[in-house]
Amino acid sequence: MSKESKEAKKVMEKVVSLAKRRGFVFQSSEIYGGLNGCYDYGPLGVELFNNIKNHWWRSMTLREDVEGLDASILMHPRVWEASGHVEHFTDPMVDCKQCRARYRTDELPESGACPNCGGKETFTEARKFNLMFRTFVGPVEDSSSVVYLRPETAQGIYLNFFNVQTAARQKVPFGIAQIGKAFRNEINTKNFLFRTREFEQMEMQFFVKPGEDDSWFEYWKEQRMQWFKDLGMSPDKLRFNEHGPDELAHYAKTAFDIQYEFPFGWGEIEGIHNRTDYDLKQHEKFSGKAMKYFDQEANEKYIPYVVETSAGASRSFMAFLVDAFAEEQLEKETRTVMRFHPHIAPINAAVFPLVNRDGMPEKARTIVNDLQKRYRVFYDDKGAVGRRYRRQDEAGTPFCITIDSQTLDDQSVTIRDRDSMEQIRVTDTRIAEYLSDKLGM
Ligand code: ATP
């Protein structure tokens, strides 16, 4: 292993261990040995996750031309025949005859040796493996009762195109946004939250007049990249990757991924696809229901084209987590700090009484009670103040407010900035205003 990849592995190990220790992410069913490819979000994790999803939701639906939707996970099985998932949503899979390890063919090393046992040319013929989870509705488990756990949220949007358009009195061009769970029975899960079997997506399907798809594609591509940057993700770790003609999905005319440079390399966090009229056309064919939209202004009927922005909420969460992680060499120690953008940090501010006497805890509690009306605030009076700062650095809390003896004289507190570690003094009546300014809420 090269020095760089050893270093990268170490960073991932540190992030995973901090995620567990501080309650961002736990392995699912841990006491039973864990369930591969499934994770649970702990107290800090669920706050960070909700903040990311809320920001996405607001960036989409605080516009006049995007509506929200929350469709069911189980859908009519014909949906997945129409969408092409029954036929095409497969990965080529091989087994090692020697050690029985299972791989996606496209992930095998060029050497042809089994990564697990080192056996050479010991693989079975490649066969297609469908990634959709199947289950049954009702008590009878036969082919007529098969349903699938959705592998993407997009189809629920296509099926509701006319419902939403009519109910919300929208006109093309307009979009429908949705956040929800998706399931893929991945052959190999790997890299923590990067490839899991249960995950969340944040998808927006934008319906446009054919011919106007290319310019809308460019527009959404830029918007989505900017969203990650606005939430503080390092610009030099973000890039576009265009799919070549032989990489394009069966439905796509153009596709760009937004990739993030994880410690283990560049990986897709979002796909922006021009899906043309493929999906609506397929649903027209399979359901027998007309999917043509009447454009009053143009006085013509057409099946709209779709520009899709499909972000992995869980993968983005992991990118935000990795990107925030930093270790800084201070004079006497190494400080671990999660540099989350203040808008997505799980805890907005922490409040500390410097010592547990002279009315300082009471004063601190009053400030907490006041701030809690608007913010997630953490009260901590345990241990030396330096250690309390470190605990909040690891949680990524942007501001720590300390009540000291001067507070009791002149009602001023110190506010310490997580990143610069600088402290300023403000009057207690100005704390909320200060936070509001910095947190944008
Ligand atoms: P990949 O090639 O990495 O499997 P994909 O091209 O199949 O991804 P899409 O179908 O475009 O991915 O899904 C959109 C987004 O959903 C991806 O950008 C990713 O963020 C997320 N995603 C897809 N599969 C998984 C998974 N198994 N675990 C976590 N997130 C996923």
Side-chain angles (χ1 to χ4, degrees):
M1 203 187 268
S2 73
K3 199 172 152 221
E4 269 170 15
S5 50
K6 261 194 202 145
E7 210 40 51
K9 197 166 164 241
K10 241 194 237 160
V11 171
M12 267 320 290
E13 279 169 7
K14 282 180 186 167
V15 172
V16 174
S17 132
L18 182 141
K20 180 176 176 196
R21 186 163 44 83
R22 295 309 313 263
F24 284 94
V25 180
F26 308 122
Q27 173 73 58
S28 159
S29 321
E30 196 181 2
I31 61 166
Y32 288 97
L35 179 65
N36 219 340
C38 298
Y39 289 91
D40 301 339
Y41 292 81
L44 290 183
V46 70
E47 295 298 335
L48 175 64
F49 205 18
N50 284 342
N51 290 345
I52 294 168
K53 289 187 282 186
N54 282 340
H55 266 274
W56 183 89
W57 187 254
R58 290 169 66 85
S59 79
M60 287 295 173
T61 60
L62 294 185
R63 309 169 43 113
E64 285 179 24
D65 58 357
V66 177
E67 303 290 343
L69 179 75
D70 188 358
S72 66
I73 288 174
L74 301 178
M75 284 183 262
H76 197 288
R78 293 274 282 166
V79 171
W80 306 108
E81 288 174 34
S83 68
H85 282 81
V86 170
E87 193 182 344
H88 296 292
F89 199 57
T90 57
D91 275 341
M93 175 176 81
V94 293
D95 292 325
C96 172
K97 289 185 208 154
Q98 214 161 279
C99 71
R100 300 194 183 279
R102 189 158 274 184
Y103 301 101
R104 254 168 70 171
T105 317
D106 55 346
E107 287 182 339
L108 282 179
E110 275 175 24
S111 66
C114 170
N116 188 42
C117 71
K120 285 232 166 179
E121 312 298 341
T122 55
F123 297 114
T124 56
E125 284 285 303
R127 55 198 190 286
K128 281 186 177 176
F129 174 72
N130 195 297
L131 301 184
M132 283 196 292
F133 279 99
R134 273 156 44 112
T135 185
F136 304 93
V137 283
V140 184
E141 297 192 0
D142 65 15
S143 58
S144 66
S145 62
V146 165
V147 289
Y148 301 96
L149 301 189
R150 67 180 178 199
E152 62 176 26
T153 59
Q155 298 301 324
I157 294 182
Y158 303 138
L159 302 190
N160 281 296
F161 168 68
F162 281 111
N163 284 339
V164 173
Q165 188 256 322
T166 315
R169 300 168 62 88
Q170 278 286 359
K171 289 193 181 115
V172 169
F174 79 97
I176 304 177
Q178 170 166 234
I179 299 177
K181 292 256 180 176
F183 303 83
R184 297 184 186 181
N185 200 358
E186 301 280 359
I187 297 169
N188 289 123
T189 58
K190 64 174 181 187
N191 291 329
F192 196 33
L193 304 175
F194 185 81
R195 190 176 302 289
T196 55
R197 296 199 167 109
E198 174 176 341
F199 55 96
E200 274 191 74
Q201 291 186 313
M202 308 184 285
E203 295 197 306
M204 194 279 301
Q205 314 291 322
F206 202 76
F207 300 88
V208 305
K209 188 176 176 190
E212 293 177 5
D213 47 316
D214 291 337
S215 54
W216 277 109
F217 185 87
E218 281 310 308
Y219 170 81
W220 280 111
K221 197 177 129 213
E222 296 311 321
Q223 289 284 312
R224 293 304 306 143
M225 179 62 102
Q226 195 55 43
W227 183 82
F228 287 103
K229 292 182 183 168
D230 287 347
L231 283 183
M233 214 176 261
S234 310
D236 58 335
K237 289 192 186 284
L238 285 164
R239 72 175 187 195
F240 284 117
N241 174 51
E242 183 173 9
H243 288 206
D246 51 339
E247 293 170 284
L248 282 175
H250 59 277
Y251 51 74
K253 172 177 154 188
T254 329
F256 276 73
D257 295 337
I258 296 178
Q259 294 185 328
Y260 177 78
E261 191 177 16
F262 290 97
F264 47 82
W266 289 94
E268 169 186 342
I269 50 177
E270 171 157 352
I272 296 123
H273 309 127
N274 181 342
R275 293 179 74 130
T276 69
D277 54 5
Y278 175 84
D279 299 275
L280 291 182
K281 240 186 195 159
Q282 286 292 100
H283 289 306
E284 182 171 270
K285 196 164 121 193
F286 278 71
S287 70
K289 299 278 184 320
M291 286 288 177
K292 286 189 188 58
Y293 166 79
F294 178 62
D295 186 330
Q296 276 177 332
E297 265 159 49
N299 196 25
E300 61 177 303
K301 271 188 163 182
Y302 53 79
I303 296 186
Y305 267 36
V306 171
V307 174
E308 163 184 76
T309 68
S310 172
S314 326
R315 258 192 217 175
S316 301
F317 172 98
M318 179 173 158
F320 281 115
L321 198 68
V322 168
D323 201 62
F325 178 81
E327 283 180 319
E328 282 175 9
Q329 202 50 52
L330 304 181
E331 247 174 58
K332 289 193 194 130
E333 56 176 327
T334 310
R335 160 171 107 119
T336 303
V337 51
M338 299 300 285
R339 296 183 184 277
F340 298 121
H341 189 289
H343 289 185
I344 57 169
I347 300 172
N348 300 129
V351 179
F352 310 149
L354 187 64
V355 291
N356 281 321
R357 57 182 151 77
D358 304 337
M360 287 185 214
E362 292 74 14
K363 177 73 189 168
R365 284 282 181 202
T366 311
I367 291 175
V368 168
N369 289 342
D370 184 41
L371 293 179
Q372 265 173 347
K373 292 179 193 129
R374 265 162 80 187
Y375 302 110
R376 275 192 60 80
V377 184
F378 188 84
Y379 174 83
D380 189 4
D381 60 9
K382 307 246 167 14
V385 75
R387 299 198 42 196
R388 289 183 245 167
Y389 283 143
R390 294 293 170 270
R391 285 201 286 268
Q392 293 309 311
D393 287 344
E394 279 193 340
T397 308
F399 303 105
C400 292
I401 300 158
T402 301
I403 285 72
D404 54 20
S405 52
Q406 194 179 328
T407 314
L408 308 175
D409 292 338
D410 66 3
Q411 308 300 315
S412 72
V413 300
T414 63
I415 303 184
R416 178 241 196 204
D417 180 281
R418 177 197 65 200
D419 298 337
S420 67
M421 295 194 285
E422 270 164 22
Q423 299 185 17
I424 56 159
R425 280 204 95 89
V426 303
T427 311
D428 61 355
T429 49
R430 304 280 308 272
I431 304 172
E433 189 187 324
Y434 181 89
L435 292 184
S436 157
D437 187 37
K438 301 281 180 185
L439 298 170
M441 61 198 246

PDB file of all heavy atoms in Angstrom, residues 184 186 193-196 199 201 268-271 273 310-312 315, ligand 1:
ATOM      1  N   ARG A 184     -31.157  -0.586  -2.521  1.00  0.00           N
ATOM      2  CA  ARG A 184     -30.486  -1.324  -3.598  1.00  0.00           C
ATOM      3  C   ARG A 184     -29.719  -2.477  -2.977  1.00  0.00           C
ATOM      4  O   ARG A 184     -28.916  -2.270  -2.064  1.00  0.00           O
ATOM      5  CB  ARG A 184     -29.517  -0.424  -4.379  1.00  0.00           C
ATOM      6  CG  ARG A 184     -30.238   0.703  -5.065  1.00  0.00           C
ATOM      7  CD  ARG A 184     -29.302   1.549  -5.920  1.00  0.00           C
ATOM      8  NE  ARG A 184     -30.051   2.688  -6.438  1.00  0.00           N
ATOM      9  CZ  ARG A 184     -29.557   3.623  -7.234  1.00  0.00           C
ATOM     10  NH1 ARG A 184     -28.282   3.553  -7.607  1.00  0.00           N
ATOM     11  NH2 ARG A 184     -30.309   4.616  -7.658  1.00  0.00           N
ATOM     12  N   GLU A 186     -27.048  -3.972  -3.195  1.00  0.00           N
ATOM     13  CA  GLU A 186     -25.698  -3.879  -3.761  1.00  0.00           C
ATOM     14  C   GLU A 186     -24.931  -5.184  -3.521  1.00  0.00           C
ATOM     15  O   GLU A 186     -25.033  -5.770  -2.445  1.00  0.00           O
ATOM     16  CB  GLU A 186     -24.932  -2.719  -3.102  1.00  0.00           C
ATOM     17  CG  GLU A 186     -25.572  -1.347  -3.262  1.00  0.00           C
ATOM     18  CD  GLU A 186     -25.296  -0.716  -4.622  1.00  0.00           C
ATOM     19  OE1 GLU A 186     -24.591  -1.333  -5.439  1.00  0.00           O
ATOM     20  OE2 GLU A 186     -25.821   0.401  -4.848  1.00  0.00           O
ATOM     21  N   LEU A 193     -20.658   4.989   4.470  1.00  0.00           N
ATOM     22  CA  LEU A 193     -21.990   5.315   3.954  1.00  0.00           C
ATOM     23  C   LEU A 193     -22.021   5.443   2.440  1.00  0.00           C
ATOM     24  O   LEU A 193     -23.064   5.718   1.860  1.00  0.00           O
ATOM     25  CB  LEU A 193     -22.455   6.650   4.549  1.00  0.00           C
ATOM     26  CG  LEU A 193     -22.485   6.752   6.063  1.00  0.00           C
ATOM     27  CD1 LEU A 193     -22.839   8.166   6.482  1.00  0.00           C
ATOM     28  CD2 LEU A 193     -23.503   5.770   6.627  1.00  0.00           C
ATOM     29  N   PHE A 194     -20.885   5.261   1.781  1.00  0.00           N
ATOM     30  CA  PHE A 194     -20.825   5.552   0.345  1.00  0.00           C
ATOM     31  C   PHE A 194     -21.718   4.604  -0.455  1.00  0.00           C
ATOM     32  O   PHE A 194     -22.502   5.030  -1.297  1.00  0.00           O
ATOM     33  CB  PHE A 194     -19.386   5.464  -0.177  1.00  0.00           C
ATOM     34  CG  PHE A 194     -19.273   5.886  -1.621  1.00  0.00           C
ATOM     35  CD1 PHE A 194     -19.214   7.233  -1.942  1.00  0.00           C
ATOM     36  CD2 PHE A 194     -19.250   4.952  -2.643  1.00  0.00           C
ATOM     37  CE1 PHE A 194     -19.132   7.647  -3.263  1.00  0.00           C
ATOM     38  CE2 PHE A 194     -19.160   5.354  -3.970  1.00  0.00           C
ATOM     39  CZ  PHE A 194     -19.102   6.705  -4.283  1.00  0.00           C
ATOM     40  N   ARG A 195     -21.581   3.321  -0.215  1.00  0.00           N
ATOM     41  CA  ARG A 195     -22.427   2.359  -0.921  1.00  0.00           C
ATOM     42  C   ARG A 195     -23.116   1.468   0.107  1.00  0.00           C
ATOM     43  O   ARG A 195     -22.501   0.573   0.679  1.00  0.00           O
ATOM     44  CB  ARG A 195     -21.600   1.508  -1.895  1.00  0.00           C
ATOM     45  CG  ARG A 195     -22.457   0.666  -2.817  1.00  0.00           C
ATOM     46  CD  ARG A 195     -21.652  -0.103  -3.844  1.00  0.00           C
ATOM     47  NE  ARG A 195     -20.847   0.767  -4.686  1.00  0.00           N
ATOM     48  CZ  ARG A 195     -21.327   1.579  -5.625  1.00  0.00           C
ATOM     49  NH1 ARG A 195     -22.620   1.646  -5.838  1.00  0.00           N
ATOM     50  NH2 ARG A 195     -20.519   2.324  -6.343  1.00  0.00           N
ATOM     51  N   THR A 196     -24.384   1.769   0.352  1.00  0.00           N
ATOM     52  CA  THR A 196     -25.138   1.019   1.343  1.00  0.00           C
ATOM     53  C   THR A 196     -26.360   0.400   0.660  1.00  0.00           C
ATOM     54  O   THR A 196     -26.632   0.676  -0.508  1.00  0.00           O
ATOM     55  CB  THR A 196     -25.599   1.952   2.478  1.00  0.00           C
ATOM     56  OG1 THR A 196     -26.336   3.030   1.907  1.00  0.00           O
ATOM     57  CG2 THR A 196     -24.418   2.508   3.251  1.00  0.00           C
ATOM     58  N   PHE A 199     -30.609   3.732   1.762  1.00  0.00           N
ATOM     59  CA  PHE A 199     -30.060   5.090   1.824  1.00  0.00           C
ATOM     60  C   PHE A 199     -31.156   6.089   1.467  1.00  0.00           C
ATOM     61  O   PHE A 199     -32.265   5.692   1.119  1.00  0.00           O
ATOM     62  CB  PHE A 199     -28.852   5.238   0.883  1.00  0.00           C
ATOM     63  CG  PHE A 199     -29.131   4.858  -0.554  1.00  0.00           C
ATOM     64  CD1 PHE A 199     -29.462   5.814  -1.497  1.00  0.00           C
ATOM     65  CD2 PHE A 199     -29.072   3.532  -0.947  1.00  0.00           C
ATOM     66  CE1 PHE A 199     -29.715   5.462  -2.823  1.00  0.00           C
ATOM     67  CE2 PHE A 199     -29.327   3.169  -2.273  1.00  0.00           C
ATOM     68  CZ  PHE A 199     -29.647   4.130  -3.207  1.00  0.00           C
ATOM     69  N   GLN A 201     -32.322   9.567  -0.781  1.00  0.00           N
ATOM     70  CA  GLN A 201     -32.037  10.407  -1.941  1.00  0.00           C
ATOM     71  C   GLN A 201     -32.785  11.735  -1.818  1.00  0.00           C
ATOM     72  O   GLN A 201     -33.819  11.813  -1.155  1.00  0.00           O
ATOM     73  CB  GLN A 201     -32.500   9.708  -3.223  1.00  0.00           C
ATOM     74  CG  GLN A 201     -31.676   8.480  -3.564  1.00  0.00           C
ATOM     75  CD  GLN A 201     -32.058   7.900  -4.918  1.00  0.00           C
ATOM     76  OE1 GLN A 201     -33.241   7.731  -5.193  1.00  0.00           O
ATOM     77  NE2 GLN A 201     -31.077   7.588  -5.740  1.00  0.00           N
ATOM     78  N   GLU A 268     -19.017   9.721  -6.938  1.00  0.00           N
ATOM     79  CA  GLU A 268     -20.237  10.481  -7.271  1.00  0.00           C
ATOM     80  C   GLU A 268     -21.069  10.748  -6.022  1.00  0.00           C
ATOM     81  O   GLU A 268     -21.320   9.839  -5.246  1.00  0.00           O
ATOM     82  CB  GLU A 268     -21.067   9.666  -8.271  1.00  0.00           C
ATOM     83  CG  GLU A 268     -22.453  10.218  -8.484  1.00  0.00           C
ATOM     84  CD  GLU A 268     -23.344   9.333  -9.363  1.00  0.00           C
ATOM     85  OE1 GLU A 268     -22.819   8.468 -10.088  1.00  0.00           O
ATOM     86  OE2 GLU A 268     -24.568   9.518  -9.307  1.00  0.00           O
ATOM     87  N   ILE A 269     -21.489  12.008  -5.860  1.00  0.00           N
ATOM     88  CA  ILE A 269     -22.453  12.286  -4.791  1.00  0.00           C
ATOM     89  C   ILE A 269     -23.811  12.685  -5.368  1.00  0.00           C
ATOM     90  O   ILE A 269     -24.821  12.611  -4.696  1.00  0.00           O
ATOM     91  CB  ILE A 269     -21.943  13.351  -3.780  1.00  0.00           C
ATOM     92  CG1 ILE A 269     -21.422  14.602  -4.492  1.00  0.00           C
ATOM     93  CG2 ILE A 269     -20.865  12.766  -2.889  1.00  0.00           C
ATOM     94  CD1 ILE A 269     -20.990  15.701  -3.510  1.00  0.00           C
ATOM     95  N   GLU A 270     -23.809  13.127  -6.618  1.00  0.00           N
ATOM     96  CA  GLU A 270     -25.074  13.513  -7.251  1.00  0.00           C
ATOM     97  C   GLU A 270     -24.968  13.307  -8.751  1.00  0.00           C
ATOM     98  O   GLU A 270     -23.903  13.509  -9.328  1.00  0.00           O
ATOM     99  CB  GLU A 270     -25.370  14.991  -6.948  1.00  0.00           C
ATOM    100  CG  GLU A 270     -26.543  15.557  -7.736  1.00  0.00           C
ATOM    101  CD  GLU A 270     -27.195  16.774  -7.092  1.00  0.00           C
ATOM    102  OE1 GLU A 270     -26.848  17.120  -5.947  1.00  0.00           O
ATOM    103  OE2 GLU A 270     -28.066  17.377  -7.751  1.00  0.00           O
ATOM    104  N   GLY A 271     -26.091  12.909  -9.361  1.00  0.00           N
ATOM    105  CA  GLY A 271     -26.128  12.785 -10.814  1.00  0.00           C
ATOM    106  C   GLY A 271     -27.108  13.797 -11.379  1.00  0.00           C
ATOM    107  O   GLY A 271     -28.200  13.985 -10.838  1.00  0.00           O
ATOM    108  N   HIS A 273     -29.080  14.442 -14.809  1.00  0.00           N
ATOM    109  CA  HIS A 273     -29.355  13.663 -16.016  1.00  0.00           C
ATOM    110  C   HIS A 273     -30.415  14.339 -16.866  1.00  0.00           C
ATOM    111  O   HIS A 273     -31.401  14.842 -16.339  1.00  0.00           O
ATOM    112  CB  HIS A 273     -29.877  12.265 -15.649  1.00  0.00           C
ATOM    113  CG  HIS A 273     -29.021  11.544 -14.647  1.00  0.00           C
ATOM    114  ND1 HIS A 273     -29.522  11.011 -13.492  1.00  0.00           N
ATOM    115  CD2 HIS A 273     -27.690  11.281 -14.644  1.00  0.00           C
ATOM    116  CE1 HIS A 273     -28.526  10.441 -12.801  1.00  0.00           C
ATOM    117  NE2 HIS A 273     -27.410  10.600 -13.475  1.00  0.00           N
ATOM    118  N   SER A 310     -30.261  14.261  -9.027  1.00  0.00           N
ATOM    119  CA  SER A 310     -30.445  13.132  -8.122  1.00  0.00           C
ATOM    120  C   SER A 310     -29.271  13.044  -7.158  1.00  0.00           C
ATOM    121  O   SER A 310     -28.204  12.524  -7.483  1.00  0.00           O
ATOM    122  CB  SER A 310     -30.549  11.854  -8.953  1.00  0.00           C
ATOM    123  OG  SER A 310     -30.549  10.731  -8.122  1.00  0.00           O
ATOM    124  N   ALA A 311     -29.491  13.587  -5.950  1.00  0.00           N
ATOM    125  CA  ALA A 311     -28.404  13.596  -4.972  1.00  0.00           C
ATOM    126  C   ALA A 311     -28.618  12.487  -3.956  1.00  0.00           C
ATOM    127  O   ALA A 311     -29.745  12.213  -3.551  1.00  0.00           O
ATOM    128  CB  ALA A 311     -28.372  14.937  -4.242  1.00  0.00           C
ATOM    129  N   GLY A 312     -27.541  11.843  -3.572  1.00  0.00           N
ATOM    130  CA  GLY A 312     -27.626  10.912  -2.464  1.00  0.00           C
ATOM    131  C   GLY A 312     -27.569  11.735  -1.189  1.00  0.00           C
ATOM    132  O   GLY A 312     -26.584  12.446  -0.959  1.00  0.00           O
ATOM    133  N   ARG A 315     -24.926   9.883   0.952  1.00  0.00           N
ATOM    134  CA  ARG A 315     -23.561  10.105   0.444  1.00  0.00           C
ATOM    135  C   ARG A 315     -23.122  11.547   0.651  1.00  0.00           C
ATOM    136  O   ARG A 315     -21.960  11.823   0.951  1.00  0.00           O
ATOM    137  CB  ARG A 315     -23.492   9.772  -1.043  1.00  0.00           C
ATOM    138  CG  ARG A 315     -22.866   8.449  -1.284  1.00  0.00           C
ATOM    139  CD  ARG A 315     -22.544   8.269  -2.738  1.00  0.00           C
ATOM    140  NE  ARG A 315     -22.770   6.888  -3.107  1.00  0.00           N
ATOM    141  CZ  ARG A 315     -22.670   6.418  -4.329  1.00  0.00           C
ATOM    142  NH1 ARG A 315     -22.375   7.233  -5.327  1.00  0.00           N
ATOM    143  NH2 ARG A 315     -22.871   5.148  -4.576  1.00  0.00           N
TER     144      ARG A 315
HETATM  145  P1  ATP B   1     -23.123   4.308  -8.376  1.00  0.00           P
HETATM  146  O1  ATP B   1     -22.628   4.214  -9.777  1.00  0.00           O
HETATM  147  O2  ATP B   1     -22.139   4.895  -7.404  1.00  0.00           O
HETATM  148  O3  ATP B   1     -23.758   3.045  -7.860  1.00  0.00           O
HETATM  149  P2  ATP B   1     -25.446   5.395  -9.522  1.00  0.00           P
HETATM  150  O4  ATP B   1     -24.904   6.033 -10.739  1.00  0.00           O
HETATM  151  O5  ATP B   1     -26.127   4.089  -9.612  1.00  0.00           O
HETATM  152  O6  ATP B   1     -24.327   5.338  -8.399  1.00  0.00           O
HETATM  153  P3  ATP B   1     -27.747   7.033  -9.313  1.00  0.00           P
HETATM  154  O7  ATP B   1     -28.641   5.945  -9.719  1.00  0.00           O
HETATM  155  O8  ATP B   1     -27.494   8.155 -10.254  1.00  0.00           O
HETATM  156  O9  ATP B   1     -26.371   6.416  -8.793  1.00  0.00           O
HETATM  157  O10 ATP B   1     -28.267   7.570  -7.912  1.00  0.00           O
HETATM  158  C1  ATP B   1     -28.209   8.924  -7.544  1.00  0.00           C
HETATM  159  C2  ATP B   1     -27.463   9.141  -6.260  1.00  0.00           C
HETATM  160  O11 ATP B   1     -27.914   8.234  -5.258  1.00  0.00           O
HETATM  161  C3  ATP B   1     -25.966   8.876  -6.361  1.00  0.00           C
HETATM  162  O12 ATP B   1     -25.303  10.020  -6.815  1.00  0.00           O
HETATM  163  C4  ATP B   1     -25.596   8.544  -4.945  1.00  0.00           C
HETATM  164  O13 ATP B   1     -25.333   9.735  -4.230  1.00  0.00           O
HETATM  165  C5  ATP B   1     -26.840   7.903  -4.392  1.00  0.00           C
HETATM  166  N1  ATP B   1     -26.662   6.443  -4.310  1.00  0.00           N
HETATM  167  C6  ATP B   1     -26.838   5.547  -5.305  1.00  0.00           C
HETATM  168  N2  ATP B   1     -26.593   4.302  -4.866  1.00  0.00           N
HETATM  169  C7  ATP B   1     -26.251   4.405  -3.555  1.00  0.00           C
HETATM  170  C8  ATP B   1     -25.896   3.473  -2.535  1.00  0.00           C
HETATM  171  N3  ATP B   1     -25.858   2.178  -2.767  1.00  0.00           N
HETATM  172  N4  ATP B   1     -25.614   3.954  -1.300  1.00  0.00           N
HETATM  173  C9  ATP B   1     -25.660   5.279  -1.031  1.00  0.00           C
HETATM  174  N5  ATP B   1     -26.006   6.193  -1.949  1.00  0.00           N
HETATM  175  C10 ATP B   1     -26.301   5.785  -3.203  1.00  0.00           C
END
